[in-house]
Structures are given as C-alpha cells and as structure tokens.
Amino acid sequence: MTLTGDLFIAGERRSSEQRFRAYDPAKGAEIEDVAFAGASEQDVADACAAAEAAFLPYSTKPLEERAAFLEAIADEIEALGDALVERASRESGLPAARITGERGRTANQLRLFAKEVHDGAWQKLRIDHADPARTPPKPDLRLRTVPVGPVAVFGASNFPLAFSTAGGDTASALAAGCPVVMKGHSAHPGTAELIASAIARAVEKTGMPSGVFSLVNGMGRHVGQSLVADPRIQAVGFTGSRAGGEALMKIAAARPRPIPVYAEMSAINPVILMPEALKARGDALAKAYVASMAMGAGQFCTNPGLVLGIAGPELDAFSQVAAETLTGQAAQVMLTEGIYKAFEEGKEKLAASPYVEKVAEGAEPAGPTQGRAALFTVAGKDFLADPVHLHEVFGVSSVLVRCADLEELKSVLSQLEGQLTATIQVDEGDYESARALMPVLEQTVGRILANGWPTGVEVTHAMVHGGPYPATSDGRTTSVGTLAIERFVRPVAYQDLPEALLPPVLREGAQDGVLARIDGAWTL
Amino acid sequence: MTLTGDLFIAGERRSSEQRFRAYDPAKGAEIEDVAFAGASEQDVADACAAAEAAFLPYSTKPLEERAAFLEAIADEIEALGDALVERASRESGLPAARITGERGRTANQLRLFAKEVHDGAWQKLRIDHADPARTPPKPDLRLRTVPVGPVAVFGASNFPLAFSTAGGDTASALAAGCPVVMKGHSAHPGTAELIASAIARAVEKTGMPSGVFSLVNGMGRHVGQSLVADPRIQAVGFTGSRAGGEALMKIAAARPRPIPVYAEMSAINPVILMPEALKARGDALAKAYVASMAMGAGQFCTNPGLVLGIAGPELDAFSQVAAETLTGQAAQVMLTEGIYKAFEEGKEKLAASPYVEKVAEGAEPAGPTQGRAALFTVAGKDFLADPVHLHEVFGVSSVLVRCADLEELKSVLSQLEGQLTATIQVDEGDYESARALMPVLEQTVGRILANGWPTGVEVTHAMVHGGPYPATSDGRTTSVGTLAIERFVRPVAYQDLPEALLPPVLREGAQDGVLARIDGAWTL
C-alpha cells in the first residue's frame, strides 16, 4: 500500500494544504516519501458530525456484528504484513522485533474485546420485578448500560500500535458501541494511515456506518483541542504526558457539558527491595532492574523510575551491580526529538539536585536522538526535600533511594503521588514487613507486583493499567484489559416499560448467557 | 434526647462560638430552642484527619462487621422515635406522614446496603491464572476494588433523612468502606444532630473507629469549601442545586490531586404524552400530572417540570383539566426561605418570556414560605428560543409544550440537557412512534418510565438516579440503589503476589459465594 498522507473522514480520504512530514529518529531526519495532511477545524467538525451520525446505526447493530467488526480490524491489521512493521519501526526508532510483538498484542486485544462484546456482562443487566401488592406498589425496574456516544482518542507515541490508532482506547470504545474520532500521533503518521486503512477496509467488509471511525492529524495542539471541545464528543481516551493530559482535562471541564477524560499520564513506578530478597538475590535483581528500565529505551509508562531499599552493604552491592550493568548499556534511539530533549533535560534537573548523586551512565550516544542511560541515588531522608525527585523522567533513567529503615521507606512510599504500579521484591522472611506496606501501596497504585518488573502489561480481565492521580486522570478506571470497556458506557434504568418498548436484552427471560442480576440474585 | 447544637468530630461533641439557629418555614421564624455550632477550619481539618486515621481500621474490618454497623445505624435511627419525625417535620415544613415514610426508606436503604456489602459483587473479583508455558510467560493477575478513602457528603434540603446525614451517599460510602465527613445541611441542623447521634451510638455499639463519621455544620460556604479542598478527602457526594454542585466541582478539579464529585443537580424531567394515550385517558393523566408536580411542594429532583404533547383538541382538554386541578391546589410550605424566593423568581422569569403563557395558578399562600403552584405553556417551535424555558424551577411549577407534530416533539427532546428521568405516557397504538423516541431518551436521561410519574425513586438494584450533565456531574453513576456503592471504590490488580500477601478474598478458592470472574468465566 502506498501512503498518500490524506486524512480519513468517515471513509473518505481528504487532503489539505497544511502538510507535515514524518521523522526518522534513528537518522535524525524527516522521512521524505510523503507529506501528511493536517486537519482543519472543518475536518475535525466533519469527523465529529460523521461520528454522531454513525452513533445510532453503529450502537444498535447486533452485538455479533460489532464483535465481527473488531475481529475484521485485527485481520486487516495483520494483512498489512511487513509494510506496517517497517513503517512503525522507522517512525518510532523501535526495533522490528518489538513492533512485531506489539502488532500481535494489538490484534489479540481487538479479538479479546470482540469476545468481551459477546460476554456482555459490561451491560450490567439488572431486573427487579414489580410487586403491585406492596404499599406503595413496587414498580418493575430494569437496567442496562448504553454507550456514551462518539469518543475522541489520542494515540501514544511509545506504542505506535497497541496504544495508538487501533489500540486499547479505540478497541474498548468500539466494543462499547461508540464511534471513534482518532487524533493521530504526529510521531507516526504513516503507521496511523496504514492502521486507518485497515479499519476502513474492516468497516466496508462488515457493513459498518462510515462515520464509525475517522483519523485527523495535525502537528500543533489545535486539532486535539477542537476535537475535545466538540459538543458531539462524549468522552476522551488519552495516553501521553501529564501536561498533555491536564490540558485536555481543562478543555473537557470547561465545556458547557463537561465530559470524562481518561488520561493515562505520569508515573515513576516504585520498586521496593525487601531486605531478605535483597540479601538472597541482590545481583540478579540489579541486573533485572537495569534490563527493565532499559526496555524500549525506557519509554514505558510503567518504567521503574524509583527503587527503594534499606541502606547497608546489600544495597551497596545492588547499586554496584546495577551501575556496572548500566555502564555497558548502549544508547538507544528515542521516539522523537522532543522526547529525547525532554529526557536530557529531565536527567540534568535530577543531577542538579543537591541531594542526588549520579551512580552510573550508559555508553555515549553513537547517533542522533539516542538517549544515554543514567542511574541516580538519593538518601530516603532527602527524597522529599525536592519535588524534582518525584518527576517522571521518560527514558532510561531511575533513582535508587537509600532508606535508613523500613519506617523511612514506608514514609517515602506514603508520600508519593498516584502511580500505575508498585513492585515488591520479597522473600518469605519479608512477608510480615511487606504486609504492613500493602495498604499504602493499595492506596497509591493501580497494580501491585511481586518479584517481577512493571514493564509489560498483560491484556486480560484482571489487569488494571490505571491508578490514582496523576498516574491517570480517573483512578476508577483502567485503559488496558476488558474492564476498559466500562469507561465508555453509562447505566440507564427502565421503569414499567411495556415489553414492546424495552431493549430486547431486558425482556423477560431474554438474557440467556449474559450475566444478569435478577431480583438481587446473580444468574447466567 | 435534648439537642445541644454541638458538632460531632469523630465521636466527640464540640461547640464553637459561631452559632446559628434552625428555621421553621411554616412559622416563618427561627426555632429558638438551641443554637447550632458552625465549624471552623480547624474543626473541618480535625474531622478529615480523624476520617483518615479511621480509614484503614474501618476498611479492613470483616465485611460482616461493616454490614452490622450499617444495620445498627438503621436500628438507632428508628429508635429515635417521634422526636426525629417531629424535628424533621418542623425544620423542613414537610408533613409528619411524609417524614415517617422517608424514615422507613432511610432505614431500609441502610439495610439494603448492609446486604450489598455481603453480596460482595462490587469488589469485582477477577482472577487470571498464570501460564508459565506461554511465550512470554503469562503472569498471575487478580483484581479487586478498594475503597477510595474518606468521603465528603453534602446533605440535601428536600429529603432531610433519605438524602441527608445518613442518606444514600453516606450509606453507600460507608458500605464501600469509606469514612464519611458530613457537611450537615443548614436547613435541618437539629435533624442532622439526631441522626449523627444515632450513628455515633452505632459506632460505639459495633466497635467501629470513631473517625468513621463526623458532622460539621456551617451556614456559609466556607465549611463545604474547606472540606472538598482537604487533601484527605478522596470523593464527594452532593445533592442540591446546579450552582452548588458546580462550585464543588471547580474546587475538586483545582486540587493538586483532583477527586471525583458525584453531584446530583438539576433536571426538568420531561413527560411525553403520546397521542393514543392522551386520547384514551387525557383527564386522568392531567390529574395525575398535577398530583406528581405538587408532591412535597414540588421539591423533588424528579419533579415533572416539562410536559410535551401534540397540539390539538386532546392536548387542549388535558391542559384545561390540569389547569382546573392546579387552580384548586393549596399553597404549600417550602423547605427554606431561600428556596421559596428562588421559586418565586423562577416563576417570574418564566412568565416574563415572550413565548410563555401562564395557564393556571394555585391558591394564594395562606402563610409564610408558601409556594403558589403555577402551570405555563409554550409552543414547541418557541421552546428553544429562550434558555429560560430549560431552567429547573424548584417547586410546584411546570411547562406544557405544545408541539406541532412528533417530529417537533422529538427535536425538542433531542435538544434538552441531561435529565434524571423521562416519562412516556403510551398506549399500544403509540408503540411504533414511541420506539423512535427511545434512542433520544436513552442518550438524554438516567431513567425512562412508562405510564407512571417520575416522583418516587425506588431504592433497589436496577435503579438509576443519575443522568448526563447537568442532571449529575457524572452520568456514569447513580446516587440511589445498590450501584451507588461503585462510586466509592476503585480497582487494584495484584500480579504474581504470594498467597500470604494477597488480600484473603483473592486467595485461591476463597471467593465462595461472591461473584467472581475466573479466567474469563463468571462463577458464584
């Protein structure tokens, strides 16, 4: 497939005078093959109007058809073959093997949501039968969820497939019955065009209304701002920086009718080295720690940006092995020039803190846009003295916090902002003291791991990729896993409706196979 | 029990120099028996600190004990006997019979949430077992919800029991495991004190931590503002005016760590008269309409403030019967002087619209704070010409919209703001055209009723007392019914945790009786 650089507005390709080019971070140069259209206000408005027009036709399709649509998107993405892997790799600087894995994850995610559409429990079916004999008479009440309406999705740069054009936000919004207007990420416009073309083919093949998906691009902020402000948009999915997420939250809150923004933003993902675990396998932990922080050039939302341990010879040894391992790390190409620069600035700010010491650095960059790994350390008592220690540095950078004792470690933990994850390295002898930390972790994070590493987010039913502010804008939700669908539906109750006017799934005895709560009892 | 007027800060009674008195709207005079303490900033901070201190001890109590606590509150409220009914009636101007009914509803609501705590499905238990053979190995993931932390609740004036100190917000927050700091409504401080004393006794009898409930009062806005801004508060429940709810939303959004506000605010609750139903039983509908709008002096969030029908002789007849019925209505005492004045202003503004005609008025007031019923009418084509037609007028006031045809009616409906309810009066001959309205209603409201009236909100599993903005601040939720508990929990995932560190309910085979999703399958 040849790229044209056009927008996708409800199945139509559309060009514009405003053009921009993709960027190859490994070469440090623009990719010259095609110029991409930037959307005008009118383009955004047209995409939103098409999404609104598609909403009822799409949301009222039988659930089997909705599921088949999601599966068709997965098939069409796979059918793009090597062209997709090559383009995404070139635009992101990520190796082809990583992109290939991410493609599998993206397709599986769409198929999982197709299954979830069938499962149907997200409809929250509830029936309370009438009791006319009661004083006052008890009405018949039935509840289901309905999709909220058109959803705006902002792709992330660091997962050009799994968290972007047909990523988790798009998949869960479509699964919920909501059309999607995608703000393509300007870091991978060619990848976005390929994915959008796959979605467009799936739309056509499964007979979905054309407005169910549109892609609008743009280098500046105005496209995203117009999109979130558009009165037809009813919810927003976003993965990106805290500043970006907060800007969208402000726009959404200032609308005449505010809408929810699901922004996954910022985290430093503490890892706790419990004493017995550290004693038993400090070396292995140090090596695994560096491997986790260096994965994907450190550009994971769940990157372990903070490691906490109790000061002493074991932690010194851990620090030394980590330092040695990191020193050998080759510099890695980062996603964009902007991210590379922010990484350099973030490291400089950390290094400038009077409380922080640089423990080790990776190898010097061997090309443009390459980030040099860095490991810092700070004493537990000083950690809270400067807010710069709390800021996410997106890239291969992490801070080792040397705590005087478990009390100090707990105190540092309890003063962290909301996080996506916390990890505890723990052996049997640590269980009792670890148990005392659990309530703090539960209040602070969305996912608690033991004896693993936070990078890697399984797409499954029990996943929470979320967490209290500022990890996300809405700690009640997850952007990964099947629970993500619940962000895009809301409950409606039906009181004493004649059977003929009830949604079919709420008619008497018509819930078969779908989880329902009937007169308080759960039934399948 | 003699009222003291003191605050309840974590089980301690506390006085203050700032005092205010309750008001008897029927007499139009202050109630002189006792002066009530207004909370200082320090009082609010102390209540929040106590709530935070109580959070872990309370939330980690076995669920049976949490349920027993809710039941004990219900028992203690009933044990207050006539004193509660008399005081609430005197402070609200609502008849004793109505308050007695509301007391029953309040106690039943607490008992329903006690059962819901036992049911446990709100924990959203999910287990995905590991698959070490997969490439890459699949981790073990388990999910449950945790309570969000201390919750601030703002009582409503119009339901001094069911939506106030121990009302739905308090009951659902306590059921979720969250301590509550109550901002008592200044319209019924004596009622609040009685209820708080009942809760305090239940706290003592069931051995709950004292900070699990506090009551802070205050006439101005500063008490509520300090409460919502307090960093220890993690969520807010509110029932009241749109201006009040929006003010709290702004404070919550401006916090360093924003928190959710569940505000139930404003609705005009359209009622649609379908042609066949109107033809068959227009007279009965007109009488029932006036009875619904006059209930509780019109001071229901679900009051039918808007009736829509197709212009013609049947609608004229409906209008005439409604006018006749309304003309006979005695003026009713309203809750507060402020509400009374706002009602008079609201009617004046409506009457001043060049598009609006006053159809009928109720009897003249026979005492202070009595609201005179009013019925207005406007043509469908003019309805959207002036936003004043869309504003809720809290009291016995409603607007009859004469539409040219069903298309115009649908167009009016589709341009309404979010609503708590919509009601459709419908006979079999109307079903086909009614079906075309359903998608519009589903997108606009939280509850759809047929052949009934929206006043009266059943406390049950399938109830939604919510709806899109500005009916509520968060259309994904309900403030009545068992789903209300979900507002005060958030999900946490546990990855590869050793059994010893897992919450007991997530250990292998330990979910007995509680709905859980295991490897994707729902089990009980």
Side-chain angles (χ1 to χ4, degrees):
Chain A
M1 187 190 140
T2 315
L3 296 175
T4 66
D6 292 342
L7 310 171
F8 283 77
I9 311 285
E12 306 261 314
R13 309 301 304 267
R14 194 182 287 186
S15 189
S16 87
E17 291 187 5
Q18 207 197 331
R19 313 288 286 187
F20 67 97
R21 287 183 192 276
Y23 185 84
D24 180 337
K27 294 202 175 135
E30 286 190 337
I31 302 174
E32 292 293 338
D33 60 350
V34 60
F36 292 88
S40 65
E41 302 254 320
Q42 192 57 51
D43 294 327
V44 172
D46 290 349
C48 293
E52 186 177 58
F55 176 51
L56 268 182
Y58 178 62
S59 61
T60 53
K61 291 255 180 204
L63 293 186
E64 307 84 72
E65 293 185 29
R66 200 191 288 176
F69 171 47
L70 292 170
E71 279 165 3
I73 299 175
D75 295 345
E76 293 294 337
I77 288 173
E78 287 174 341
L80 290 168
D82 290 346
L84 177 66
V85 176
E86 280 157 22
R87 184 77 198 187
S89 181
R90 196 170 168 203
E91 289 184 335
S92 67
L94 295 166
R98 145 73 195 268
I99 295 290
T100 305
E102 196 182 322
R103 180 181 59 185
R105 174 203 172 98
T106 306
N108 288 344
Q109 183 163 257
L110 285 156
R111 293 188 177 115
L112 181 67
F113 277 109
K115 271 194 211 154
E116 191 66 8
V117 169
H118 278 296
D119 176 83
W122 50 271
Q123 294 172 92
K124 299 197 179 173
L125 305 183
R126 290 172 168 223
I127 296 178
D128 292 309
H129 288 102
D131 179 1
R134 198 193 65 175
T135 319
K138 188 182 174 197
D140 179 275
L141 272 159
R142 294 168 192 240
L143 181 151
R144 69 155 176 174
T145 60
V146 297
V148 294
V151 170
V153 174
F154 290 74
S157 60
N158 59 338
F159 282 81
L161 301 178
F163 283 84
S164 192
T165 315
D169 284 341
T170 297
S172 53
L174 292 176
C178 301
V180 167
V181 181
M182 182 76 203
K183 161 66 177 69
H185 201 292
S186 52
H188 51 258
T191 307
E193 183 180 339
L194 288 169
I195 296 286
S197 73
I199 299 175
R201 277 189 293 277
V203 166
E204 216 163 287
K205 284 188 180 170
T206 58
M208 293 295 145
S210 60
V212 74
F213 180 84
S214 291
L215 170 70
V216 290
N217 289 317
M219 285 296 281
R221 289 180 186 163
H222 67 282
V223 172
Q225 286 167 349
S226 313
L227 185 55
V228 174
D230 192 287
R232 291 159 290 209
I233 295 297
Q234 300 302 332
V236 179
F238 170 90
T239 301
S241 70
R242 179 164 178 179
E246 288 180 341
L248 298 185
M249 287 169 71
K250 284 209 175 76
I251 297 168
R255 290 165 47 120
R257 175 173 165 173
I259 53 172
V261 174
Y262 303 107
E264 192 262 84
M265 299 186 290
S266 169
I268 51 174
N269 303 295
V271 176
I272 302 147
L273 307 169
M274 295 300 286
E276 296 296 322
L278 186 62
K279 200 185 292 175
R281 47 197 167 94
D283 284 14
L285 286 173
K287 285 174 191 161
Y289 163 50
V290 174
S292 176
M293 70 185 262
M295 197 181 278
Q299 300 163 128
F300 276 63
C301 311
T302 52
N303 203 49
L306 200 67
V307 170
L308 305 105
I310 312 296
E314 281 95 358
L315 194 62
D316 292 343
F318 172 92
S319 174
Q320 200 175 330
V321 174
E324 283 161 13
T325 315
L326 192 92
T327 305
Q329 291 282 320
Q332 293 178 68
V333 176
M334 299 194 73
L335 291 157
T336 69
E337 251 192 310
I339 287 173
Y340 165 72
K341 282 181 187 154
F343 175 58
E344 292 299 322
E345 268 173 39
K347 286 188 299 176
E348 271 163 35
K349 277 190 193 159
L350 258 180
S353 157
Y355 306 102
V356 163
E357 197 189 316
K358 192 184 279 175
V359 177
E361 273 190 306
E364 282 205 38
T369 336
Q370 292 192 4
R372 185 178 190 177
L375 176 61
F376 302 92
T377 188
V378 62
K381 67 176 173 47
D382 299 329
F383 182 75
L384 296 161
D386 190 335
V388 78
H389 308 151
L390 286 163
H391 292 168
E392 180 181 16
V393 178
F394 195 67
V396 189
S397 167
S398 191
V399 178
L400 172 64
V401 185
R402 291 167 285 111
C403 300
D405 50 31
L406 263 174
E407 267 317 294
E408 191 175 281
L409 189 151
K410 194 174 168 184
S411 149
V412 169
L413 278 179
S414 67
Q415 290 176 78
L416 292 180
E417 297 183 289
Q419 303 290 338
L420 293 169
T421 69
T423 303
I424 185 157
Q425 306 296 349
V426 61
D427 273 9
E428 239 180 285
D430 298 312
Y431 284 176
E432 204 177 312
S433 37
R435 212 172 281 123
L437 299 178
M438 294 299 288
V440 180
L441 299 184
E442 283 172 338
Q443 282 315 297
T444 309
V445 316
R447 177 166 57 116
I448 302 171
L449 301 90
N451 299 329
W453 298 93
T455 39
V457 182
E458 187 71 25
V459 183
T460 182
H461 305 295
M463 175 51 70
V464 176
H465 189 60
Y469 203 89
T472 76
S473 56
D474 189 333
R476 296 162 289 178
T477 61
T478 174
S479 65
V480 175
T482 50
L483 261 181
I485 199 173
E486 295 197 0
R487 298 176 299 167
F488 302 116
V489 297
R490 43 170 281 271
V492 173
Y494 302 81
Q495 182 168 326
D496 288 331
L497 251 67
E499 191 88 349
L501 293 182
L502 271 176
V505 74
L506 284 178
R507 293 180 189 160
E508 204 57 28
Q511 296 73 49
D512 54 344
V514 174
L515 182 72
R517 192 171 190 183
I518 299 184
D519 297 323
W522 297 97
T523 57
L524 269 173
Chain B
M1 185 191 142
T2 315
L3 295 174
T4 66
D6 293 343
L7 310 170
F8 283 77
I9 311 285
E12 307 260 315
R13 309 300 306 266
R14 194 183 287 186
S15 189
S16 86
E17 290 185 7
Q18 207 198 332
R19 313 288 286 187
F20 67 98
R21 287 184 190 277
Y23 184 83
D24 181 336
K27 294 204 175 135
E30 287 190 337
I31 302 174
E32 292 293 338
D33 58 351
V34 59
F36 292 88
S40 65
E41 301 253 321
Q42 191 59 50
D43 294 327
V44 172
D46 290 350
C48 294
E52 187 177 57
F55 176 50
L56 269 182
Y58 178 62
S59 61
T60 52
K61 291 254 182 206
L63 294 185
E64 308 85 71
E65 294 185 30
R66 200 191 289 174
F69 171 47
L70 292 170
E71 279 164 2
I73 298 175
D75 295 344
E76 293 294 337
I77 287 173
E78 287 174 342
L80 290 168
D82 290 346
L84 176 67
V85 175
E86 279 158 22
R87 183 79 198 188
S89 181
R90 195 168 168 205
E91 289 184 335
S92 67
L94 295 165
R98 145 73 195 268
I99 295 291
T100 305
E102 196 181 323
R103 180 181 59 184
R105 175 202 172 97
T106 306
N108 288 344
Q109 182 164 256
L110 285 157
R111 292 184 178 118
L112 181 66
F113 277 110
K115 272 193 211 151
E116 191 66 7
V117 169
H118 279 296
D119 176 82
W122 49 272
Q123 295 172 91
K124 299 197 179 173
L125 304 182
R126 291 172 168 222
I127 296 178
D128 293 310
H129 288 102
D131 180 1
R134 199 193 66 175
T135 319
K138 189 182 174 197
D140 179 275
L141 272 158
R142 294 168 191 240
L143 182 150
R144 69 156 177 175
T145 60
V146 297
V148 294
V151 170
V153 174
F154 289 74
S157 60
N158 59 338
F159 282 82
L161 302 178
F163 283 84
S164 192
T165 315
D169 283 342
T170 298
S172 53
L174 291 177
C178 301
V180 168
V181 180
M182 182 77 203
K183 162 64 179 70
H185 201 291
S186 51
H188 51 258
T191 307
E193 183 180 338
L194 289 169
I195 297 287
S197 74
I199 298 176
R201 276 189 294 278
V203 166
E204 215 164 288
K205 283 189 181 168
T206 58
M208 292 295 145
S210 60
V212 75
F213 180 84
S214 292
L215 170 70
V216 290
N217 290 318
M219 286 296 282
R221 288 178 186 164
H222 68 282
V223 172
Q225 286 168 348
S226 313
L227 184 54
V228 174
D230 192 286
R232 289 159 292 209
I233 295 298
Q234 299 302 332
V236 178
F238 169 90
T239 302
S241 70
R242 179 165 179 177
E246 288 181 341
L248 298 185
M249 288 169 70
K250 283 210 176 74
I251 297 168
R255 291 165 47 120
R257 176 172 165 172
I259 52 172
V261 173
Y262 303 106
E264 194 262 84
M265 301 186 290
S266 168
I268 52 176
N269 302 296
V271 176
I272 302 148
L273 306 169
M274 295 300 287
E276 296 297 322
L278 185 63
K279 201 184 291 174
R281 48 199 164 94
D283 284 14
L285 286 173
K287 285 174 190 159
Y289 163 49
V290 174
S292 176
M293 70 185 262
M295 197 181 277
Q299 300 163 128
F300 275 62
C301 311
T302 52
N303 204 48
L306 200 67
V307 170
L308 303 105
I310 313 293
E314 282 96 358
L315 193 62
D316 292 343
F318 173 91
S319 175
Q320 201 175 328
V321 175
E324 282 161 13
T325 315
L326 192 91
T327 305
Q329 292 282 321
Q332 293 178 68
V333 176
M334 298 194 74
L335 292 157
T336 69
E337 253 192 307
I339 286 172
Y340 165 72
K341 281 181 188 155
F343 176 58
E344 291 300 321
E345 269 172 39
K347 286 189 299 177
E348 273 164 35
K349 277 190 194 158
L350 258 180
S353 158
Y355 307 102
V356 163
E357 197 189 317
K358 193 184 278 178
V359 178
E361 275 189 307
E364 283 206 38
T369 337
Q370 291 192 6
R372 184 178 191 177
L375 177 61
F376 302 92
T377 188
V378 63
K381 68 175 172 49
D382 299 329
F383 182 73
L384 296 162
D386 190 335
V388 78
H389 309 151
L390 286 162
H391 293 168
E392 180 181 16
V393 179
F394 195 68
V396 189
S397 167
S398 192
V399 178
L400 173 63
V401 185
R402 292 168 284 109
C403 301
D405 49 30
L406 263 174
E407 267 318 293
E408 191 175 280
L409 189 151
K410 193 174 169 183
S411 149
V412 169
L413 278 180
S414 67
Q415 290 175 79
L416 292 180
E417 297 183 290
Q419 303 290 339
L420 293 169
T421 70
T423 303
I424 185 156
Q425 306 295 350
V426 61
D427 273 10
E428 238 179 285
D430 298 312
Y431 285 176
E432 203 176 314
S433 36
R435 212 172 281 125
L437 299 178
M438 294 299 288
V440 180
L441 299 183
E442 284 173 336
Q443 283 313 298
T444 309
V445 316
R447 177 166 55 118
I448 302 171
L449 301 88
N451 298 327
W453 298 93
T455 39
V457 182
E458 187 72 25
V459 184
T460 182
H461 305 295
M463 174 52 70
V464 176
H465 189 61
Y469 202 89
T472 75
S473 56
D474 189 334
R476 297 162 290 179
T477 62
T478 174
S479 66
V480 176
T482 49
L483 261 181
I485 198 174
E486 296 198 359
R487 299 176 299 167
F488 302 117
V489 296
R490 59 174 197 82
V492 173
Y494 302 82
Q495 182 169 326
D496 288 332
L497 251 68
E499 190 90 348
L501 293 182
L502 270 177
V505 75
L506 284 178
R507 294 182 189 160
E508 205 57 25
Q511 297 74 49
D512 55 343
V514 174
L515 181 72
R517 192 171 190 185
I518 299 184
D519 297 322
W522 297 98
T523 56
L524 269 171

